[in-house]
Amino acid sequence: MDGLGEDGQPRIRSEAGSVEEPDAVAPTIDSEADEEAPSVFSAWALPVGLFLLTCFTTLWAGAYQSYSGTARGPLNFLLEHPEALWRGLPFAAALLFILATHEFGHYLLSRIHGVPASLPLFIPGPPHFIGTFGAIIRMRGPIMDRRALFDIGVAGPLAGFIVAVAVLIVGLNLSTVVERTATFGLHLGEPLLLQFLAWLVIGPISPESDIVLHPIAFAAWFGFFVTSLNLLPIGQLDGGHVAYALWGGRQRTMAFIAVPILIVLGFAGWPGWFLWAVMAGLWGLGHPPVSDPHAPLGRNRKIVGWIALAVFVSTFAPVPFSFHS
């Protein structure tokens, strides 16, 4: 999938190269316990303030993507063309809708299981790419058994994934097909599900053509990227929660297998995987134990676990970013 060309438009393309920058940290759960009752600031003012700031930075990023003029960087664009900020609304609204759905999936299941959790904490980022580093929620109490761990861990990725699919279908209907000779700049990788939905919505295209993604479709692509990152079976990523709930100590073995694969992918295509491998080592590969590790999951949860695996496979792009000139 092609990404942002020098004309600011996201594109689809099957060729792959490498790029140095992932500007976003996928949403996940910060499971550090906080025994003290949260203050009004941390419970409400901080989440609301961060969300509003992230609304602005993603709006700015979306407007800068769609700008085809000669502004020298996003700051000059903002200073010289503040009236163009509204053009970033489709991208910002779609992206924040996906990320918020992901985080509130965690939040609602935490409440259902009686685990105190913060409201989603959105992390604003520079407007050069998407304008955010994602979002987290903080668990303010321990997760007592593996059923709660599974439900809380899997709810975010699946909720965000469902919304991302709907958003992608809308965005693909607004996207356009161009001749490949007209495409250059940052190209996006092609997850299997994205390829299928593009074929379903747009139809077959010739090998000499590319799809220029509408900003809404680009937001959905990033939603897929976030989902696949979160479902890596490492430490306290969502995938680590799910894998530990399903397979206990074997989750650590899965993480030890996943990290070398990321390193190989870093050499083979996208150097950003090196960063994720290092971060996995810093976070810890294994998942901490829960108080009741023997609570049965039941058949339905195991089926949902296999669905989560299918979601990971269908949204994962081995080379998510590449540059073409």
Side-chain angles (χ1 to χ4, degrees):
M1 288 234 148
D2 293 18
L4 300 178
E6 292 184 13
D7 56 354
Q9 297 297 321
R11 302 189 178 89
I12 298 178
R13 186 169 180 158
S14 59
E15 298 178 11
S18 62
V19 62
E20 295 281 334
E21 80 172 289
D23 264 271
V25 175
T28 186
I29 300 174
D30 178 356
S31 61
E32 295 181 4
D34 184 0
E35 299 296 337
E36 298 181 0
S39 65
V40 173
F41 174 79
S42 63
W44 294 101
L46 182 62
V48 171
L50 288 175
F51 176 72
L52 293 176
L53 184 56
T54 306
C55 286
F56 172 71
T57 55
T58 53
L59 185 69
W60 186 1
Y64 184 58
Q65 290 171 22
S66 64
Y67 181 68
S68 58
T70 58
R72 298 182 303 277
L75 180 58
N76 282 342
F77 161 74
L78 180 64
L79 295 176
E80 296 174 6
H81 306 283
E83 75 287 350
L85 274 179
W86 67 269
R87 296 180 182 175
L89 185 59
F91 171 77
L95 179 61
L96 291 176
F97 185 31
I98 294 168
L99 296 182
T101 303
H102 180 124
E103 293 306 321
F104 275 105
H106 291 312
Y107 179 80
L108 291 177
L109 266 294
S110 298
R111 296 295 298 268
I112 289 173
H113 282 283
V115 179
S118 71
L119 289 171
L121 299 173
F122 286 81
I123 307 172
H128 299 74
F129 188 41
I130 63 166
T132 179
F133 290 105
I136 64 171
I137 65 170
R138 296 193 63 199
M139 311 302 295
R140 301 186 183 278
I143 300 176
M144 300 304 295
D145 63 61
R146 64 195 293 235
R147 287 175 297 191
L149 179 67
F150 177 86
D151 292 350
I152 295 170
V154 82
L158 291 190
F161 168 75
I162 292 170
V163 171
V165 169
V167 169
L168 179 61
I169 292 172
V170 173
L172 286 173
N173 276 287
L174 299 173
S175 300
T176 56
V177 177
V178 299
E179 292 298 319
R180 179 167 294 182
T181 54
T183 64
F184 49 88
L186 176 63
H187 294 192
L188 304 177
E190 294 186 12
L192 293 174
L193 184 58
L194 185 51
Q195 294 180 47
F196 172 72
L197 290 176
W199 173 82
L200 195 65
V201 174
I202 298 176
I205 64 174
S206 70
E208 293 76 28
S209 299
D210 287 323
I211 300 173
V212 179
L213 291 179
H214 187 273
I216 291 176
F218 177 47
W221 178 93
F222 190 79
F224 279 11
F225 180 55
V226 163
T227 298
S228 65
L229 289 180
N230 272 275
L231 287 174
L232 289 169
I234 295 172
Q236 295 203 54
L237 290 176
D238 297 336
H241 296 314
V242 173
Y244 183 81
L246 286 169
W247 299 296
R250 284 178 287 179
Q251 175 273 328
R252 186 176 180 87
T253 302
M254 297 171 66
F256 272 110
I257 294 172
V259 170
I261 292 175
L262 294 181
I263 294 173
V264 170
L265 291 176
F267 282 111
W270 183 50
W273 292 125
F274 293 132
L275 174 62
W276 279 94
V278 171
M279 292 175 67
L282 295 175
W283 292 331
L285 300 182
H287 192 283
V290 294
S291 301
D292 183 7
H294 303 296
L297 288 182
R299 181 184 177 187
N300 290 341
R301 284 188 174 89
K302 291 179 180 178
I303 291 174
V304 172
W306 286 108
I307 291 174
L309 176 61
V311 168
F312 170 74
V313 171
S314 65
T315 58
F316 184 78
V319 184
F321 305 98
S322 62
F323 275 116
H324 297 262
S325 58

